[in-house]
Amino acid sequence: MDILFLREPKYLLPHLPVLRSAHVIAVDLETTGLDPHLSSIRLIQLAVEGMPVLVVDAPAFLREAEGLALLREVFQGEGIKVFQNAKFDLQFLIPLSIYPRPVFDTMLAARLLYEPGMPRSVSLAAVADYYLGETLNKQEQRGDWAAQTLTPAQIEYAARDAAILLRLRHALISRIMEAGVGKAAEIEFACVRAVAEMEFHGIYLDTPMWRTLAERTSAARDAALESLYAYTGKPTVQTTLFGEEKVMGFNLDSNPYVLTLLHRNGISVQSTSASDLYPYRAHPLAQALTAYRKAQKSLSAILEPIAAAVHPATGRLHPHYGQIAAFTGRMSCGTPNIQQIPRDPAFRACFCAPQSRCLVIADYSQIELRVAAQISGDSRMITAYREGEDLHRVTASLMTGKPVGQVTKQERQAAKAVNFGLIYGMGAVGLQQYARQTYGVEMTAEQAGLFRSRFFTAYRGIASWHQRLKDYPSKEGRTLTGRRFAFTETPSLPLLSNSPVQGTAADIIKKALGHLSHQLEGADTWIVGVVHDEILLECPAEKAPETAALLKETMEKAANGILPMVPSVVEAKISASWAEK
DNA sequence: ACGTACAGCGCG
DNA sequence: AAAGCGCGCTGTACGT
């Protein structure tokens, strides 16, 4: 492997024509740390077939305007840029206004190809070993990338990582084609810059408002604790030798303890869960316990961690997104997870935009039901959506025998539970509980069973789709774009029916994100959040109307491309915060 | 001292 | 035969 270490911009010049016209460039960065807001690029490695690996001394290049200009030119070419975990590298390039495109990501490819039996790790070492049979020395002393002078060994390792990406891409391409996941791969590769930008820009939080909410919640928890003392007795606070206060005698976070407490007070539940407690909702102990849990959970899982996660340099939250995390292809979010912020406006109002900017928020309307209509081919559902009908009303009308116009709000609400539950093979008992818990709708077991049979009589396509899944149970599933997932044990009907639907919905929003990041390139408009079927943008206030129109159109177009039989609807709104309208 | 499993609950 | 699914996060319980 030939390596050229470039200490000054002028040494890059002779290679510029090759780089600009290369069909494939493998890129890797070495950085002084993992946080793009606190660390910087130390090396940029560029590998092109038939050329020595170029290792660019980034600080030396970026000191001069010419160096930055040259780097931009390299990345501006139409050639495919190969990365391992592009999300990371792209974030470090954003401050340089460099947006490489198109991208091939070997890590995403490996995730996409994953099947049971493969190594779970998608690190460069694991992927190179599995697909190329090449062993990378693992804990090689990569040393300190922040050091002023790098050792020759460091430069060689850096170059090797870039060089191997070229071979890895070749190996992965044939596997991608064999697996029939080419279309899904394209969607993922186009989406990765949206994810990188989303993590980089983060989301703004009104911290004072958040702290006020935390204090209110803390007071509510203490009030609930006071009422609980009537049952538990006052806690005896013991001060340990180290001066820590330790509450003795009871622990309300321990379920075994809570269960005995409930039993002692005539609440004979099997578990301490909210659903078991529901029949005792009039009991003051159950009420106090529920109130305590809600407040305590909010504080420990949401309010405190998020307050602590505000970034010292940007003052914003920078959640991490797992682009292919759920086995269905859905994204996950963590540290902190903003995909599980309560819908309560008190929480969501804190997610807003800074001075002179605003949020543009859009979500797909009933995307999973539309996907299910497409996958099953159910003609009644397809017709309803084509005619712009409200499917929940249609189902309510089918359940009650009433004309669509006479369906009450309550009936529509119940139909919502019926639609979402029964599509995935929920049983009558499950439906009854689900309707109560999720939609506050009461129905008897008999009613639930009746709804169930009426539902499958009305939606024959759903019934036959379920029948097909049962008759031909497969160990692997696919979304409409070809994304593949393998089931470990014999999958249940709920899993067989839900996963391709959930996965196809993920394909759709990822396709939209890819288009979006391309269209928003260099603009002062950022993707700040994604919550499964919802996209949050932040833009200058005066750009909001055009941004809303762009967002709506991009999302609808993505869905319509993947669901040829079923039109999709996106509602986009301009708003000061994430709280409901 | 650490890692993993589970319950419970927030979101879609 | 019977069955909604997918996540992340917290604290407890239990393993090494």
Side-chain angles (χ1 to χ4, degrees):
Chain A
M1 180 178 63
D2 290 332
I3 303 169
L4 286 178
F5 183 48
L6 309 181
R7 296 172 193 279
E8 285 177 52
K10 65 179 178 198
Y11 298 122
L12 182 63
L13 278 170
H15 306 283
L16 207 56
V18 176
L19 287 166
R20 286 232 47 182
S21 61
H23 290 108
V24 182
I25 308 179
V27 186
D28 188 24
L29 305 184
E30 304 303 338
T31 62
T32 59
L34 299 179
D35 183 336
H37 297 285
L38 300 177
S39 5
S40 56
I41 306 175
R42 185 63 187 85
L43 296 177
I44 302 175
Q45 304 97 273
L46 303 165
V48 173
E49 192 77 57
M51 185 184 79
V53 179
L54 305 181
V55 180
V56 171
D57 187 336
F61 267 57
L62 297 176
R63 262 198 296 277
E64 302 170 41
E66 189 202 354
L68 177 58
L70 283 175
L71 290 173
R72 285 205 182 120
E73 251 194 279
V74 168
F75 285 104
Q76 246 162 32
E78 289 298 305
I80 296 164
K81 321 297 185 298
V82 189
F83 293 89
Q84 161 77 1
N85 190 14
K87 182 182 83 170
F88 177 82
D89 299 35
L90 295 187
Q91 285 192 72
F92 280 85
L93 294 172
I94 292 171
L96 308 181
S97 297
I98 291 175
Y99 305 93
R101 197 183 68 87
V103 162
F104 185 106
D105 189 323
T106 52
M107 194 182 89
L108 290 177
R111 278 201 193 285
L112 213 49
L113 289 168
Y114 175 80
E115 47 189 312
M118 288 182 182
R120 195 163 276 286
S121 167
V122 287
S123 68
L124 185 58
V127 176
D129 179 39
Y130 188 80
Y131 290 99
L132 296 175
E134 292 187 30
T135 309
L136 295 183
N137 299 326
K138 13 192 177 296
Q139 281 304 29
E140 205 120 32
Q141 212 19 280
R142 298 234 160 175
D144 180 8
W145 294 114
Q148 192 137 44
T149 49
L150 302 175
T151 67
Q154 277 180 297
I155 289 166
E156 194 181 325
Y157 299 142
R160 183 203 57 184
D161 279 1
I164 204 164
L165 293 180
L166 291 175
R167 299 195 292 282
L168 204 44
R169 173 176 162 272
H170 273 120
L172 287 165
I173 284 177
S174 32
R175 304 299 282 267
I176 287 171
M177 292 312 159
E178 280 165 29
V181 295
K183 221 170 141 182
E186 279 179 21
I187 290 173
E188 294 293 354
F189 295 163
C191 180
V192 68
R193 44 183 286 197
V195 177
E197 287 163 23
M198 189 157 59
E199 287 194 6
F200 180 82
H201 293 301
I203 187 165
Y204 182 77
L205 178 79
D206 184 333
T207 315
M209 194 191 280
W210 191 257
R211 293 204 183 280
T212 306
L213 178 59
E215 280 158 25
R216 271 215 315 274
T217 311
S218 176
R221 177 197 52 193
D222 293 346
L225 268 177
E226 254 341 290
S227 341
L228 283 167
Y229 292 155
Y231 299 91
T232 63
K234 275 275 180 197
T236 47
V237 177
Q238 231 176 46
T239 306
T240 67
L241 286 172
F242 309 103
E244 291 162 341
E245 293 199 336
K246 201 160 185 253
V247 179
M248 302 304 287
F250 73 88
N251 180 358
L252 289 168
D253 296 322
S254 161
N255 290 325
Y257 170 79
V258 170
L259 197 60
T260 61
L261 178 67
L262 291 168
H263 288 169
R264 276 210 302 270
N265 288 278
I267 299 179
S268 41
V269 282
Q270 269 206 311
S271 85
T272 71
S273 69
S275 55
D276 274 30
L277 246 27
Y278 183 81
Y280 299 92
R281 61 195 176 282
H283 197 294
L285 171 56
Q287 282 175 359
L289 180 64
T290 307
Y292 167 79
R293 279 217 178 124
K294 195 171 160 68
Q296 178 60 24
K297 179 81 178 177
S298 291
L299 281 165
S300 70
I302 297 167
L303 289 161
E304 287 162 356
I306 284 187
V310 173
H311 194 286
T314 67
R316 298 166 67 104
L317 298 173
H318 296 267
H320 295 112
Y321 286 84
Q323 191 175 323
I324 309 180
F327 84 101
T328 56
R330 253 199 191 177
M331 289 202 263
S332 75
C333 176
T335 59
N337 182 355
I338 64 151
Q339 295 185 329
Q340 57 178 4
I341 302 297
R343 297 197 62 134
D344 182 344
F347 288 80
R348 299 228 169 165
C350 303
F351 291 81
C352 50
Q355 198 63 51
S356 80
R357 294 172 69 81
C358 70
L359 296 180
V360 174
I361 305 171
D363 65 335
Y364 286 105
S365 159
Q366 300 167 20
I367 189 66
E368 287 201 1
L369 291 183
R370 291 175 203 265
V371 171
Q374 173 70 47
I375 289 179
S376 69
D378 184 276
S379 54
R380 192 163 218 155
M381 284 178 76
I382 292 172
T383 307
Y385 279 128
R386 280 196 180 161
E387 293 176 0
E389 286 185 73
D390 174 351
L391 195 79
H392 297 321
R393 291 209 112 76
V394 174
T395 299
S397 145
L398 294 164
M399 297 300 107
T400 59
K402 287 184 182 178
V404 175
Q406 287 175 32
V407 167
T408 67
K409 228 179 171 179
Q410 179 80 350
E411 285 162 347
R412 183 183 181 276
Q413 196 74 349
K416 223 165 152 176
V418 169
N419 278 331
F420 282 119
L422 297 189
I423 291 279
Y424 303 126
M426 193 180 259
V429 180
L431 175 59
Q432 185 192 5
Q433 283 171 4
Y434 174 71
R436 184 177 66 206
Q437 212 171 306
T438 315
Y439 297 100
V441 172
E442 296 289 347
M443 57 176 83
T444 65
E446 291 71 31
Q447 273 176 311
L450 188 64
F451 285 163
R452 201 163 174 275
S453 55
R454 283 192 191 155
F455 179 88
F456 287 111
T457 316
Y459 300 111
R460 304 294 301 253
I462 298 290
S464 52
W465 171 49
H466 283 181
Q467 197 56 50
R468 276 199 305 280
L469 291 172
K470 283 189 280 195
D471 290 346
Y472 308 103
S474 172
K475 287 219 83 177
E476 93 169 24
R478 288 201 187 252
T479 68
L480 288 177
T481 69
R483 180 194 301 279
R484 179 187 70 171
F485 34 80
F487 303 108
T488 39
E489 72 272 7
T490 35
S492 59
L493 175 59
L495 201 60
L496 279 170
S497 53
N498 178 276
S499 43
V501 173
Q502 190 184 109
T504 301
D507 294 345
I508 290 171
I509 200 160
K510 286 178 174 183
K511 178 121 198 178
L513 286 167
H515 283 150
L516 210 53
S517 66
H518 186 44
Q519 286 169 302
L520 297 176
E521 178 174 319
D524 202 11
T525 299
W526 306 328
I527 304 167
V528 295
V530 175
V531 191
H532 306 307
D533 67 348
E534 180 182 20
I535 298 177
L536 288 84
L537 303 184
E538 184 193 302
C539 70
E542 68 275 11
K543 279 195 195 169
E546 57 184 282
T547 303
L550 173 76
L551 181 57
K552 178 179 160 71
E553 206 201 307
T554 304
M555 289 172 74
E556 286 180 349
K557 220 173 128 188
N560 292 338
I562 292 174
L563 309 178
M565 310 269 288
V566 184
S568 283
V569 172
V570 168
E571 284 142 33
K573 55 181 187 279
I574 300 163
S575 72
S577 85
W578 198 14
E580 296 304 312
K581 35 226 140 156

